[in-house]
Amino acid sequence: MTRVERIAVVSDVHGNMTAYDAVLADIDRRGITTVLNLGDVAGKGPRGSAAVARTRERCAVTVRGNWDDFLPRPDPDKNPASVWWYEELTPEDRAWLLALPLVHDMVISGRRVRFVHASADSVYTRVRRVHTDEEFDGMFAATELTGPGPAPSVVVYGDVHDAYVKTVDGRTLVNAGSAGNPLDEPVPSYLVLEGVVGGTARDPFALQVVRVPYDVEAEIEVARAAGMPELEAWAIELRTAVFRGRHAELGLVPDPPVR
Ligand SMILES: [Mn+2]
């Protein structure tokens, strides 16, 4: 008798430990012991090093995100905010992030399930919820990043901080949203995949998007106390789920103000 297992998938923690620990506590309450991480562990938020440590403790596999790829590299042209996030990481954290794999594949209930941060092209190639047919096809393609081999029927990714599930012609594209910096609603998300690992198409398969509230103001206070750069943009994103690029046009200012 084959056993149905559950796997939690988190993404885009971005150093938000208050949210990350709330999500991990919810995963624990469900009795789920396998956690996969889709990257962007550090940067943007105040506690990247702690997020790396927690990820190393708790996640069976972590794939590298765009922030995990550029932030740990020494670069004389880094902007001052990125220097702050870079310096918050230890040399060991940086080496660990840069050594992360770019792709992870599993077979669950006969489906080849692929995990990447942003796309099959690169950690920097962004595919939004609203995308072209070519972009959708590209997520399932064999590329230099994915290597050759059988095409996946399920692709699970992060990067856009916008959780959704879309099935077209037997292929499913799933975004885990963000555990630390959600930009669809201000409540962190993660995925639960359920099926038989290594099983066949006769086994059931399920997926679920879970939302876990947390103490947003406590997290903003951590960032303020740490003197983190770009605090106002961070606070508005956490409170409203509106990306910082739109704050000015929408007239969004921190309310209550960040001191
Ligand atoms: Mn991200």
Side-chain angles (χ1 to χ4, degrees), residues 6 9 35 78 103-105 141 187 189 203 217 231 243 246-247:
R6 285 176 300 164
V9 183
V35 185
K78 266 195 204 311
V103 62
H104 179 68
D105 283 3
V187 182
S189 62
D203 296 313
E217 296 306 319
L231 175 62
F243 177 64
R246 300 189 62 216
H247 294 178

Side-chain angles (χ1 to χ4, degrees), residues 23-84:
V23 164
L24 290 168
D26 190 82
I27 291 168
D28 289 343
R29 274 198 295 276
R30 289 165 202 265
I32 299 172
T33 56
T34 303
V35 185
L36 305 186
N37 190 311
L38 300 178
D40 276 12
V41 178
K44 285 192 86 172
R47 286 184 280 182
S49 187
V52 167
R54 186 74 83 249
T55 300
R56 295 180 72 168
E57 281 164 31
R58 297 297 307 273
C59 298
V61 175
T62 301
V63 298
R64 197 189 324 157
N66 50 311
W67 280 78
D68 309 320
D69 190 70
F70 75 78
L71 190 61
R73 298 181 197 273
D75 173 4
D77 296 330
K78 266 195 204 311
N79 66 43
S82 287
V83 170
W84 193 93

Side-chain angles (χ1 to χ4, degrees), residues 127-143:
V127 176
R128 298 185 188 281
R129 175 199 292 264
V130 178
H131 50 249
T132 65
D133 292 348
E134 289 70 26
E135 285 174 312
F136 184 88
D137 287 345
M139 293 300 277
F140 298 85
T143 63

Side-chain angles (χ1 to χ4, degrees), residues 12 14 40 66-67 117 159 161:
D12 294 86
H14 283 292
D40 276 12
N66 50 311
W67 280 78
H117 178 70
D159 185 54
H161 302 207

Side-chain angles (χ1 to χ4, degrees), residues 79-258:
N79 66 43
S82 287
V83 170
W84 193 93
W85 289 304
Y86 172 88
E87 288 180 347
E88 199 267 333
L89 297 170
T90 67
E92 195 192 351
D93 294 336
R94 295 177 204 136
W96 182 79
L97 289 167
L98 285 173
L100 291 172
L102 297 171
V103 62
H104 179 68
D105 283 3
M106 309 176 61
V107 173
I108 306 175
S109 297
R111 295 160 194 251
R112 181 162 293 269
V113 182
R114 174 161 293 162
F115 301 88
V116 292
H117 178 70
S119 73
D121 285 331
S122 93
V123 296
Y124 298 103
T125 304
R126 184 150 288 160
V127 176
R128 298 185 188 281
R129 175 199 292 264
V130 178
H131 50 249
T132 65
D133 292 348
E134 289 70 26
E135 285 174 312
F136 184 88
D137 287 345
M139 293 300 277
F140 298 85
T143 63
E144 199 175 313
L145 184 153
T146 67
S153 57
V154 179
V155 172
V156 185
Y157 79 115
D159 185 54
V160 292
H161 302 207
D162 184 3
Y164 71 91
V165 180
K166 176 181 175 181
T167 299
V168 180
D169 295 336
R171 295 186 299 183
T172 298
L173 184 60
V174 190
N175 194 288
S178 170
N181 181 211
L183 295 173
D184 46 6
E185 61 167 277
V187 182
S189 62
Y190 75 94
L191 302 175
V192 176
L193 307 184
E194 190 175 54
V196 177
V197 174
T200 73
R202 292 170 178 269
D203 296 313
F205 179 76
L207 60 88
Q208 182 179 35
V209 178
V210 183
R211 297 276 175 177
V212 186
Y214 75 109
D215 189 340
V216 172
E217 296 306 319
E219 179 60 25
I220 292 169
E221 180 54 27
V222 168
R224 190 202 63 76
M228 190 187 83
E230 302 185 3
L231 175 62
E232 292 209 346
W234 177 246
I236 296 168
E237 285 185 353
L238 294 192
R239 289 174 181 151
T240 66
V242 175
F243 177 64
R244 59 192 60 194
R246 300 189 62 216
H247 294 178
E249 90 189 59
L250 295 173
L252 288 171
V253 292
D255 180 24
V258 289

